Amino acid sequence: MIQQIKKAFLALALVATVGAAAGQASAETLVNGAGATFPYPLYSKWFSEYAKVDKSVKFNYQSIGSGGGIKQITAQTVDFGASDKFLSDQELSAAPGKLLHIPTVMGAVVVTYNLPGVPSGIKLNSEDVANIYLGKITMWNDKRIADDNKGINLPAKPIIVVHRSDGSGTTSIFTDYLTGVNADWAQKVGKGASVKWPVGLGGKGNEGVAGQIKTTPYTIGYVELAYAFENKLPFASLKNGAGVFVAPSIKSTSAAAAAALKKMPADYRISLVNQPGKDAYPVVGFTWLLVYEKQKDAVKGKKLVEFLNWSMTKGQKMASPMLYAPLPNSVVKMVQKTIKTIK
């Protein structure tokens, strides 16, 4: 009798275990992604909110920089990559299949600083920003900076320059901007996700640069707008192509995009820096998810497509409160058509 009871219990336990395992298998499809730190605050929010919409999928995203995201999606070690730098023709042809750029939102790269006694309000001429990063302007009270900041007592202290140490889409946007405003920068350094910096200290990710600025007085650096807010860091108003000093905001980011949208290519590979218009902030970029047109895993592919469609509707409404500019409606409509081509 006891043996029979034991057998019955074992049978029930086995059914329960198999049932639980089956339940877990059906409950969670894990979709892995890696890349840009620029949109990470928003993507974290998206993935946690989407988990409430579809409990059968979990997104695991590693914020390792655009360079890392491009490498991992090319090697197919993740289901999607993320980058604020669009891929070159050469990078696209190196991928084992057709990679699509799916723009998700737009963001501003801000010039942030730590100046004791000067909490906010600094204006910087774009030419001067390039000269600081070239090591030509080395003191905070340099006449060129002082001329644009009448009434602000700038300290007679050396400027400590901070830049990214990793392959970065934020760097790609920032150096694209510097290349457009300073001929010397264009000739000596140029643009890209990684460049040979003439001066400065390196920080890993937007997080690393923000951390260096926050803890080290007299520093200057560049981060995505959300990171400056999150770390309570001030940021400069920059002089745009129309000669107007503009602060970074959702409105000035969208103004930069408005001019570029007239020539939006079908693959969305377009730069938004130094756009015309008096209201346009000069250092703006799209951030993209990199997704294969032909998905290897049908279940994951379906879940990814459902998420991408959600990101174009409900997801867009979450962008502005987190200091990213949502995509214009015309772009959303284009992207929704592109998502339909994913097989």
Side-chain angles (χ1 to χ4, degrees), residues 270-310:
I270 191 170
S271 165
L272 300 180
V273 303
N274 298 316
Q275 290 295 327
K278 62 181 176 54
D279 300 325
Y281 181 71
V283 204
V284 169
F286 277 123
T287 190
W288 296 270
L289 287 179
L290 305 170
V291 177
Y292 283 104
E293 187 179 65
K294 283 187 182 157
Q295 291 288 306
K296 276 202 310 188
D297 184 315
V299 176
K300 284 187 180 187
K302 184 172 180 290
K303 294 293 178 191
L304 189 52
V305 164
E306 286 165 1
F307 167 75
L308 291 173
N309 280 319
W310 177 89

Side-chain angles (χ1 to χ4, degrees), residues 39-52 307 310 315 318-319 321-322:
Y40 179 59
L42 177 64
Y43 287 0
S44 293
K45 172 87 173 158
W46 275 5
F47 297 141
S48 69
E49 288 300 317
Y50 193 71
K52 298 171 194 170
F307 167 75
W310 177 89
M318 296 173 196
M322 299 198 70

Side-chain angles (χ1 to χ4, degrees), residues 85-89 92 98-104 263-271 286-291 293 331 334-335 338 341:
K85 166 198 162 325
F86 60 77
L87 276 65
S88 64
D89 291 347
L92 284 173
K98 185 180 176 182
L99 267 179
L100 301 173
H101 286 74
I102 306 286
T104 51
K263 40 188 193 291
M264 172 64 86
D267 63 5
Y268 312 102
R269 292 189 295 161
I270 191 170
S271 165
F286 277 123
T287 190
W288 296 270
L289 287 179
L290 305 170
V291 177
E293 187 179 65
V331 178
M334 276 177 78
V335 175
T338 303
T341 69

